[in-house]
Amino acid sequence: MKFRTREEYHADLRAMRKNVFKNGRFIEDIVTDSDTRALIENESVTYDLLQDPQNDGILKAKSTLSGETVARWHTLMASAEDLMMYAKLKKLHFHKTAVCCAGVCTGWSTFNVLWSVTYEIDEKCGTDYHKRLQAWVRGVERKTYKVGAALTDAKGDRSKKASQQLSPDFNVHVKEIRSDGIVVSGAKTMIANAAAFHEIICIPGTAYKENEKEFAVAFVVPRDAEGLTLVQAEVSEGREGWDTMKYASAASYLIFEDCFIPKENVFMCEEWAFSGSVISRFTANYRAAIGACMSGNTDIMVGASALMARANGLSSNAFREKFVDMEMISNMVYGLGLGAMLAGEKHQSGAFYADPTLAHTNKYYVAKNYAEIRRICQDIGGGIAETGCLPNYKDCTDPVMGPKIMKYVQGNSDLSAETRARAARLCEWFGRGGGAMAFIHGGGSPDGARVVVRMNTPIEKYAQAASDIAGITEKIEDPAPKK
Ligand SMILES: Cc1cc2nc3c(=O)[nH]c(=O)nc-3n(C[C@H](O)[C@H](O)[C@H](O)COP(=O)(O)OP(=O)(O)OC[C@H]3O[C@@H](n4cnc5c(N)ncnc54)[C@H](O)[C@@H]3O)c2cc1C
């Protein structure tokens, strides 16, 4: 099969309807615009990797449907090994760009969830969603498309249910069911790298009951569909020279206004009883693999810290133990994720899902420990690598003031001042710029992860076992709550 190239990908993006809004205008050419080019460059990297046979083991796999060799991110994750390749692919991408590769991650994970959920809906309700999903997968694998996922609704007041909000649009919902498709409205927010996708899969962001069945909807939509507008969020890039990094990830709001979704692209429509399974299966795989993202990002932060130490004139050996601290955290979340995969289970539809308790534990430790990694990076780099301590590129290259400033940016006398400035900006970028990944809420909030672990911890069973070991014959009950 012929795989899409970066040039073909860019041509696809340029041919799309101009529906990405940023800085008060719709972006004309998202490939070159200063607000989007680093995002597109980031997502282009996987197309480069696909062209290099050295990466075939990770990037390519046999199609579940056609048996052809296709891009791995369009194949079914049918075993622990397949899930581990999901983690490896993400880590490889992070090693190249240090930022989120949602175009080969979130959509992939989501169609794997819909694989089993559509199978179950069809069995129970006599629908044909699973066949539709398979036909769609066959289409995107032929085109090597980039596909993202949108779960997170705008939600509104967090203490209220979707049906109690000021507007039903706070959560994406079905407005009309027609014989040829459905009409949807509402907003999904914070959708990673959405402007860079060919298509986006939308799934329910939570479990719904029958009285809110209109919110239980899953479908795929072209990124430039009529009735869909993207508003790209701010990334602290977009300046010039070495102030700007080559790669960025950037989330978007997706605003659906009476957007028509043809029947063949609809995978759930009001089957509310299955919405909970969508979330639990999505989070199991995604949270098992999120350690790979943090681990890949951390490895490059270790590299950046070593560069900064050397640019300051110090041997990186002086910081060896700090690198070990960073790597041990990185290994912990990567390895715990792989463990969750190995402890996973196969669904009768053929899809494979990681062990939820281990996966959610992993998400929690990713969220909790990432700040520590960034702290160590900035600790090693010095003040110049921390927030706002290095004059900007424009001033450093000013014909009059530039040389005067750069005289004092100089560190290691064997290196240029510009090299030290670049290393410092990179460390700062990891600390507070686009290189600082959203590992707290990305993939779901840590408190949600704790709820799963709490639910899956059988305290009574453990108490009984402890009691048996201690030879206690009396039943030790929880004291009744005090009045
Ligand atoms: C950079 C980035 C990329 C992302 N990419 C994607 C993506 O590609 N696709 C996607 O679908 N989503 C994406 N997300 C969204 C992400 O999944 C959400 O941020 C996450 O699920 C948390 O939702 P929220 O931001 O609305 O936080 P909130 O729901 O507002 O939560 C804030 C805090 O309040 C707590 N809380 C919320 N509700 C309650 C309640 N009822 N009672 C008590 N406590 C509560 C939470 O536990 C949390 O501590 C991304 C987020 C980020 C930051």
Side-chain angles (χ1 to χ4, degrees):
M1 201 184 85
K2 190 184 169 301
F3 293 97
R4 212 166 209 76
T5 61
R6 73 154 47 219
E7 290 76 21
E8 288 164 337
Y9 168 53
H10 292 177
D12 296 340
L13 294 173
R14 288 189 166 118
M16 283 182 167
R17 199 170 73 82
K18 317 286 177 233
N19 66 332
V20 179
F21 187 81
K22 174 95 195 257
N23 275 327
R25 81 240 139 95
F26 284 95
I27 294 180
E28 242 340 280
D29 181 356
I30 71 164
V31 178
T32 53
D33 192 280
S34 62
D35 280 327
T36 43
R37 70 173 174 236
L39 166 65
I40 304 305
E41 191 54 35
N42 166 30
E43 290 284 358
S44 301
V45 164
T46 15
Y47 289 112
D48 299 340
L49 292 171
L50 262 183
Q51 301 301 323
D52 182 352
Q54 224 182 291
N55 303 313
D56 282 1
I58 295 180
L59 267 281
K60 294 175 187 167
K62 212 174 196 194
S63 161
T64 325
L65 297 166
S66 65
E68 276 181 70
T69 299
V70 298
R72 184 177 288 279
W73 69 88
H74 295 307
T75 59
L76 183 69
M77 298 179 202
S79 64
E81 288 70 29
D82 287 348
L83 261 177
M84 280 157 74
M85 295 312 276
Y86 172 40
K88 283 186 184 176
L89 195 157
K90 293 194 330 158
K91 194 161 174 173
L92 173 66
H93 189 104
F94 267 84
H95 277 171
K96 299 288 176 196
T97 69
V99 291
C100 164
C101 51
V104 293
C105 166
T106 56
W108 184 15
S109 203
T110 304
F111 102 66
N112 273 273
V113 168
L114 289 176
W115 192 272
S116 62
V117 175
T118 54
Y119 179 95
E120 287 173 356
I121 302 177
D122 287 0
E123 268 206 330
K124 186 103 193 260
C125 309
T127 43
D128 65 348
Y129 293 132
H130 194 64
K131 232 191 250 156
R132 290 184 200 174
L133 181 72
Q134 290 191 345
W136 173 77
V137 173
R138 189 69 194 104
V140 287
E141 74 176 19
R142 279 198 198 103
K143 294 180 277 196
T144 338
Y145 267 6
K146 288 260 166 173
V147 183
L151 297 77
T152 309
D153 294 282
K155 295 190 275 197
D157 184 330
R158 270 59 175 161
S159 69
K160 294 179 179 161
K161 292 188 179 306
S163 56
Q164 300 166 334
Q165 299 295 338
L166 283 178
S167 163
D169 292 341
F170 288 4
N171 296 271
V172 168
H173 59 284
V174 184
K175 262 182 99 170
E176 194 186 337
I177 301 177
R178 297 186 194 163
S179 57
D180 56 347
I182 58 172
V183 177
V184 298
S185 279
K188 296 278 188 189
T189 58
M190 300 177 275
I191 308 310
N193 298 3
F197 301 149
H198 290 94
E199 298 190 6
I200 302 166
I201 308 180
C202 293
I203 54 175
T206 189
Y208 291 106
K209 295 265 165 60
E210 188 168 11
N211 65 336
E212 294 186 325
K213 64 180 183 194
E214 65 273 30
F215 300 103
V217 59
F219 56 90
V220 64
V221 64
R223 193 272 274 153
D224 64 342
E226 288 292 339
L228 171 60
T229 304
L230 275 71
V231 181
Q232 184 170 290
E234 188 61 26
V235 200
S236 50
E237 314 296 326
R239 291 169 290 169
E240 34 178 351
W242 42 252
D243 282 339
T244 311
M245 291 299 143
K246 192 170 169 190
Y247 305 113
S249 44
S252 285
Y253 279 35
L254 311 186
I255 301 175
F256 292 93
E257 293 167 299
D258 292 333
C259 182
F260 176 71
I261 312 292
K263 200 173 169 180
E264 62 271 20
N265 286 352
V266 178
F267 309 126
M268 173 188 279
C269 180
E270 300 193 340
E271 289 84 5
W272 57 273
F274 298 86
S275 50
S277 302
V278 173
I279 290 298
S280 59
R281 289 175 201 164
F282 177 84
T283 49
N285 282 0
Y286 190 84
R287 291 176 177 192
I290 198 171
C293 305
M294 177 163 144
S295 176
N297 177 272
T298 297
D299 293 343
I300 307 305
M301 234 189 289
V302 168
S305 312
L307 295 182
M308 197 58 221
R310 291 171 193 166
N312 283 342
L314 299 169
S315 161
S316 50
N317 270 336
F319 302 103
R320 201 94 215 147
E321 288 311 310
K322 295 191 179 187
F323 297 142
V324 169
D325 286 341
M326 293 167 97
E327 281 297 299
M328 280 186 155
I329 295 173
S330 157
N331 294 338
M332 173 179 74
V333 294
Y334 186 55
L336 180 50
L338 297 186
M341 295 167 187
L342 285 170
E345 272 184 16
K346 199 171 177 89
H347 184 270
Q348 54 180 334
S349 63
F352 192 91
Y353 299 106
D355 176 83
T357 311
L358 292 176
H360 285 271
T361 304
N362 196 34
K363 170 70 228 276
Y364 179 75
Y365 281 108
V366 161
K368 195 174 158 75
N369 287 293
Y370 187 51
E372 174 65 0
I373 302 273
R374 288 155 63 201
R375 180 192 70 74
I376 301 173
C377 174
Q378 302 207 326
D379 175 11
I380 294 169
I384 190 174
E386 229 178 329
T387 305
C389 289
L390 173 67
N392 71 16
Y393 173 81
K394 197 177 172 99
D395 292 342
C396 289
T397 53
D398 181 82
V400 179
M401 286 306 293
K404 295 186 191 193
I405 302 168
M406 291 308 263
K407 178 177 171 185
Y408 304 111
V409 173
Q410 181 73 47
N412 181 338
S413 50
D414 292 334
L415 299 171
S416 66
E418 182 185 321
T419 289
R420 182 164 182 257
R422 281 181 180 274
R425 196 60 94 212
L426 177 64
C427 289
E428 185 195 35
W429 180 73
F430 278 120
R432 64 137 201 187
M437 292 289 92
F439 288 133
I440 298 175
H441 290 292
S445 303
D447 275 0
R450 291 183 69 91
V451 168
V452 175
V453 177
R454 194 183 312 136
M455 280 180 349
N456 290 333
T457 304
I459 307 248
E460 288 312 320
K461 181 178 156 193
Y462 296 161
Q464 186 57 54
S467 203
D468 293 346
I469 290 166
I472 296 170
T473 50
E474 213 178 347
K475 181 90 182 149
I476 306 183
E477 305 270 13
D478 249 358
K482 287 203 176 89
K483 288 192 181 149

